[in-house]
C-alpha cells in the first residue's frame, strides 16, 4: 500500500490488489472514523471481486484501468435527496471523458456510455443516519487502457480502443475528483440552485435522450420516449400510447445489448 502521493490533490491510498475498493474504504472508515477525511480515495491496480450495479462483476485487466472509490460525509443532505450524489459523480466522469472523446452520455441511473458501449460503471453505497446521509462511498471503474475484454459482458469499450492512444490514468482521476469537489462544494453552499443546475445538466446528457426506444418492465416490452428523471431518481417515460410510466431503479431496463 502506498499512501498520499504528492502528485495527487486528495488523500490517496494506492493498492496493488484488493477484493473491492468500496469494501476496503468502508472498512478503514469504520476502523478509523476520525482520521479518514472527505475525498479520501482508494485506487487498485486489480480487483478480485469488483462490484457493479445489480450484483454484476466488473472486468478489468491488471494495471490498465481506473478502479477507485472515494468517501464523502454529506450530513447536510437529506436521505431523500441522495440521488443528487449519483448525478454529481456521473456528470463529473462524463465531463472529464469529454476532454478525451466525443459521444459520451449517462445511461440511467449512472452508467457512462460511449455511443452504445459501456465505458464506466458506478456503484454508490450510502449510510443513513435518521433523515440524513452520514456517509457516501462511490466505487468507480473506468476502462482506460484495456485492449481486449474477455468476459461475457455484451458491450464494454475502453478509451484506448476508441482512440488507439495510451492514457495517464492519474491525470484522468485527478480531473474527475476536482469536478466532483466543485459540484459538491456548490451543493453545500446553495443546495437549491445547485440541485437544479445538476439535474438540468444530467437530463441533457442522458443516453438515448431523443427518440423512441425499446424498454422492458415486469409486464413485457414496450417503446417509449424518455421524458425526464425526477429528483428522487425515478425515470419518467412516455409510451407510444401517450401514457406516462414511472420507474425506480431495477423496475425497467433498456432492451438491446446492454448489461442487466
Amino acid at each position: 500500500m502506498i499512501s498520499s502521493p504528492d502528485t495527487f490533490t486528495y488523500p490517496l491510498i494506492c493498492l496493488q490488489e484488493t477484493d473491492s475498493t468500496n469494501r476496503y474504504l468502508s472498512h478503514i472508515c469504520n476502523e478509523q472514523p476520525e482520521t479518514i477525511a472527505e475525498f479520501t480515495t482508494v485506487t487498485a491496480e486489480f480487483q478480485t471481486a469488483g462490484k457493479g450495479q445489480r450484483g454484476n462483476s466488473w472486468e478489468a485487466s491488471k494495471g490498465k484501468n481506473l478502479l477507485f472509490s472515494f468517501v464523502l460525509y454529506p450530513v447536510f443532505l437529506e436521505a431523500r435527496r441522495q440521488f443528487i450524489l449519483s448525478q454529481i459523480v456521473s456528470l463529473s466522469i462524463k465531463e472529464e471523458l469529454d476532454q478525451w472523446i466525443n459521444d459520451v452520455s449517462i445511461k440511467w441511473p449512472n452508467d457512462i456510455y460511449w455511443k452504445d458501449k459501456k465505458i464506466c460503471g458506478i456503484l454508490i453505497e450510502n449510510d443513513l443516519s435518521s433523515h440524513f446521509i452520514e456517509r457516501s462511498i462511490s466505487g468507480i471503474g473506468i476502462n482506460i487502457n484495456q485492449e481486449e475484454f474477455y468476459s461475457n459482458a455484451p458491450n464494454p469499450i475502453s478509451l484506448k480502443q476508441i482512440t488507439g492512444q495510451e492514457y495517464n490514468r492519474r491525470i484522468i482521476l485527478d480531473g474527475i475528483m476536482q469536478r466532483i469537489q466543485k459540484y459538491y462544494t456548490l451543493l453545500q453552499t446553495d443546495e437549491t440552485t445547485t440541485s437544479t443546475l445538476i439535474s438540468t445538466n444530467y437530463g441533457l446528457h442522458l443516453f438515448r435522450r431523443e427518440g423512441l426506444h425499446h424498454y422492458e418492465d415486469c409486464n413485457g416490452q414496450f417503446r417509449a420516449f424518455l421524458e425526464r428523471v425526477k429528483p428522487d431518481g425515478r425515470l419518467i417515460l412516455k409510451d407510444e400510447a401517450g401514457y406516462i410510466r414511472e420507474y425506480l431503479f431495477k423496475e425497467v431496463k433498456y432492451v438491446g445489448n446492454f448489461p442487466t
Side-chain angles (χ1 to χ4, degrees):
M1 180 180 75
I2 303 171
S3 180
S4 299
D6 294 336
T7 55
F8 193 64
T9 308
Y10 308 93
L12 180 64
I13 299 169
C14 301
L15 307 174
Q16 284 300 309
E17 183 175 308
T18 188
D19 56 354
S20 159
T21 55
N22 261 31
R23 193 174 294 128
Y24 182 94
L25 184 52
S26 178
H27 173 73
I28 63 172
C29 285
N30 291 337
E31 293 292 313
Q32 308 168 47
E34 302 302 321
T35 61
I36 305 301
E38 273 198 315
F39 296 101
T40 293
T41 302
V42 174
T43 67
E45 293 296 290
F46 185 68
Q47 287 187 134
T48 59
K51 298 185 293 180
Q53 296 285 8
R54 303 178 187 264
N56 292 336
S57 60
W58 183 262
E59 179 196 352
S61 294
K62 188 172 184 178
K64 294 292 185 180
N65 302 310
L66 264 178
L67 308 171
F68 68 101
S69 298
F70 68 92
V71 64
L72 298 174
Y73 303 109
V75 293
F76 64 93
L77 198 60
E78 290 182 287
R80 65 184 180 87
R81 299 285 294 115
Q82 59 189 291
F83 187 65
I84 197 72
L85 297 175
S86 179
Q87 291 176 311
I88 285 173
V89 175
S90 301
L91 274 173
S92 298
I93 295 169
K94 180 260 190 296
E95 289 170 1
E96 178 62 25
L97 291 178
D98 282 342
Q99 306 304 304
W100 311 96
I101 53 175
N102 298 318
D103 301 313
V104 180
S105 62
I106 303 167
K107 178 172 170 282
W108 177 86
N110 57 13
D111 284 335
I112 308 299
Y113 268 54
W114 176 77
K115 297 185 177 180
D116 284 337
K117 294 183 179 291
K118 184 174 178 177
I119 195 168
C120 171
I122 302 166
L123 177 65
I124 299 177
E125 298 175 313
N126 295 321
D127 291 331
L128 309 181
S129 177
S130 184
H131 299 297
F132 295 87
I133 304 172
E134 184 174 43
R135 186 178 77 193
S136 179
I137 293 179
S138 298
I140 298 158
I142 308 176
N143 299 326
I144 304 294
N145 293 321
Q146 189 157 337
E147 298 182 56
E148 292 185 70
F149 293 88
Y150 302 99
S151 74
N152 59 0
N155 63 341
I157 193 76
S158 71
L159 272 178
K160 187 168 184 179
Q161 286 179 323
I162 295 167
T163 69
Q165 300 175 22
E166 193 90 5
Y167 291 87
N168 185 315
R169 292 173 294 155
R170 185 62 57 79
I171 289 174
I172 294 172
L173 174 59
D174 196 49
I176 290 168
M177 293 305 299
Q178 289 187 45
R179 294 174 191 277
I180 289 170
Q181 185 183 33
K182 181 179 178 181
Y183 276 124
Y184 186 68
T185 301
L186 287 172
L187 189 66
Q188 289 175 297
T189 303
D190 187 345
E191 184 179 336
T192 301
T193 301
T194 303
S195 294
T196 300
L197 170 67
I198 291 168
S199 296
T200 299
N201 287 346
Y202 176 89
L204 290 173
H205 299 300
L206 282 170
F207 176 69
R208 293 188 171 179
R209 186 172 65 89
E210 303 291 344
L212 193 64
H213 298 285
H214 289 83
Y215 298 86
E216 184 177 354
D217 62 13
C218 62
N219 296 313
Q221 294 189 12
F222 63 97
R223 297 203 303 167
F225 297 94
L226 196 164
E227 287 285 293
R228 66 188 186 281
V229 176
K230 285 190 170 182
D232 64 1
R234 280 180 291 176
L235 180 69
I236 310 301
L237 303 175
K238 179 186 286 187
D239 65 24
E240 290 181 288
Y243 292 105
I244 297 295
R245 303 178 180 222
E246 295 192 11
Y247 296 99
L248 293 171
F249 180 49
K250 297 186 179 181
E251 292 182 346
V252 66
K253 65 180 182 180
Y254 295 78
V255 174
N257 294 324
F258 307 112
T260 59

